[in-house]
């Protein structure tokens, strides 16, 4: 891979980090979809001026906690949010943030391989289906983890031992998600080891889950598209929530076990 290609891919990663760090703070602290859009838009306008982001995040925290007189708390929380965004998602899952009956399955799916963790699984589920176990996607993806039928057929099993394997069964879907994400991470690591791609196995696997491994292979890493970079940022932006950095327990669709 040429030096310019490596530089471009590095800039793509940095750009995703900039976007996601602000989205993380908005999602965790403001808990408002409108605020998330506004902050994400602001970061897109700011672009590569990373030095502006950290103060921006701290200002958000200060304004959303007007009763606090200790600005050091805001700086600490901003630092924690950025660290969570840039982390590996392998920490301890905050079980209060997921449906009670799915917590064990999420932890099991996050332990399928060393490249992922339960925080990754939970964050990706929120992005894929917003915890709607009955969701059917535009291209036939089904269930809480939104796997294409062919992928679920390959990786799905009767996880809850109810004598049927179904993509609309959240536990079956989540374990299939973990197996598939691990398979993608394995392919990504092979590309990295051979010099055919740069980035982390986790990031490339997440993008491949959404865009396909062919797109990752052809780009030599994270594709330089809004869809690919935005998906990665949205998943990583939720790491802090499922890591336990704050926010009330969410409500879940009635179709999802609670």
């Amino acid at each position: 891979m040429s030096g310019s290609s490596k530089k471009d891919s590095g800039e793509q990663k940095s750009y995703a980090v900039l976007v996601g760090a602000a989205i993380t703070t908005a999602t965790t602290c403001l808990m408002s979809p409108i605020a998330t859009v506004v902050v994400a838009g602001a970061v897109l306008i700011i672009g590569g001026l990373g030095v502006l982001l950290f103060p921006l995040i701290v200002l958000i925290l200060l304004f959303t906690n007007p009763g606090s007189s200790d600005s050091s708390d805001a700086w600490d929380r901003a630092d924690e949010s950025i660290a969570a965004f840039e982390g590996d998602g392998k920490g301890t899952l905050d079980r209060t943030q997921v449906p009670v009956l799915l917590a064990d399955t999420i932890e099991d799916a996050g332990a399928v391989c060393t490249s992922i963790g339960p925080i990754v699984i939970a964050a990706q589920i929120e992005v894929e289906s917003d915890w709607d176990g009955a969701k059917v996607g535009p291209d036939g993806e089904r269930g809480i983890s939104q796997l294409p039928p062919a992928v679920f057929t390959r990786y799905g099993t009767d996880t809850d031992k109810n004598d049927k394997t179904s993509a609309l069964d959240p536990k079956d879907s989540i374990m299939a998600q973990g197996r598939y994400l691990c398979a993608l991470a394995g392919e990504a690591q092979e590309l990295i080891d051979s010099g055919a791609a740069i980035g982390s196995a986790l990031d490339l696997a997440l993008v491949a889950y959404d865009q396909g491994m062919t797109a990752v292979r052809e780009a030599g890493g994270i594709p330089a598209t809004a869809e690919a970079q935005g998906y990665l940022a949205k998943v990583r932006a939720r790491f802090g929530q499922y890591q336990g950095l704050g926010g009330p327990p969410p409500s879940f669709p009635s179709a999802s076990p609670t």
Side-chain angles (χ1 to χ4, degrees), residues 22-97:
I23 297 175
T24 300
T25 306
T27 303
T28 303
C29 303
L30 303 183
M31 302 302 290
S32 164
I34 295 176
T36 301
V37 172
V38 170
V39 175
V43 177
L44 287 172
I45 293 171
I46 291 171
L49 300 180
V51 293
L52 298 181
L53 274 178
F54 201 70
L56 172 63
I57 293 172
V58 173
L59 284 173
I60 292 171
L61 292 168
L62 287 173
F63 278 112
T64 54
N65 295 274
S68 174
S69 59
D70 188 356
S71 61
S72 64
D73 289 343
W75 286 98
D76 290 343
R77 291 174 60 196
D79 190 48
E80 289 174 352
S81 294
I82 293 174
F85 176 86
E86 295 178 313
D88 57 16
K90 298 177 187 177
T92 301
L93 175 71
D94 181 354
R95 294 169 66 100
T96 68
Q97 297 292 322

Side-chain angles (χ1 to χ4, degrees), residues 88-94 106 110 117-124 235 238-240 242-244:
D88 57 16
K90 298 177 187 177
T92 301
L93 175 71
D94 181 354
I106 291 168
I119 292 168
V120 177
I121 296 293
Q124 190 176 38
V235 174
R238 287 157 174 80
F239 281 9
Y242 295 106
Q243 186 173 310

Side-chain angles (χ1 to χ4, degrees), residues 13 188-189 192 198-205 236:
K13 172 64 176 176
Q189 190 60 57
I192 294 168
I198 64 171
S200 71
L202 173 59
D203 284 350
L204 300 188
R236 281 190 165 278

Side-chain angles (χ1 to χ4, degrees), residues 155-216:
Y155 293 99
T157 61
D158 181 16
T159 299
D160 52 7
K161 309 300 181 184
N162 64 353
D163 296 325
K164 62 179 180 180
T165 301
S166 172
L168 297 178
D169 182 320
K171 292 185 179 181
D172 292 356
S173 185
I174 291 170
M175 286 306 300
Q177 172 192 354
R179 296 185 191 102
Y180 182 45
L181 199 55
C182 281
L184 292 174
E187 291 184 51
Q189 190 60 57
E190 289 179 0
L191 291 176
I192 294 168
D193 292 343
S194 69
I198 64 171
S200 71
L202 173 59
D203 284 350
L204 300 188
L206 286 170
V207 171
Y209 192 103
D210 183 62
Q211 300 286 304
M213 185 55 75
T214 298
V216 171

Side-chain angles (χ1 to χ4, degrees), residues 123-136 142-146 253 256:
Q124 190 176 38
I125 289 173
E126 182 179 338
V127 171
E128 288 289 341
S129 70
D130 201 20
W131 298 98
D132 183 358
K135 181 176 179 179
V136 177
R142 293 162 60 98
I144 199 167
S145 302
Q146 287 293 282
S256 296

